[in-house]
Amino acid sequence: MVSATQQSSRIRRRKARTAGTKTKRYNRAHGTPAFPVHPEGYSATAADAKPAEKK
């Protein structure tokens, strides 16, 4: 017979592992939400800004 601590630790670890698997599966199926890369008010001269479109 195992101790209560050992048993609860195993149960917690198992639940965390399955919860992570379910979350990963959900995120894969639903993708990432759409969000602006450079929100309004972002400086176009910043070092990581997108290059301006050439005409």
Side-chain angles (χ1 to χ4, degrees):
M1 188 170 179
V2 297
S3 68
T5 303
Q6 189 177 20
Q7 186 174 358
S8 58
S9 296
R10 285 180 181 165
I11 292 170
R12 272 198 304 274
R13 199 171 350 154
R14 185 183 69 228
K15 285 180 180 246
R17 190 168 51 239
T18 57
T21 304
K22 288 176 185 175
T23 303
K24 279 184 185 176
R25 187 173 293 131
Y26 177 84
N27 289 337
R28 271 198 310 265
H30 294 86
T32 57
F35 58 91
V37 175
H38 295 302
E40 291 299 320
Y42 186 80
S43 173
T45 58
D48 60 348
K50 285 185 181 177
E53 292 183 17
K54 295 183 180 180
K55 292 183 180 180

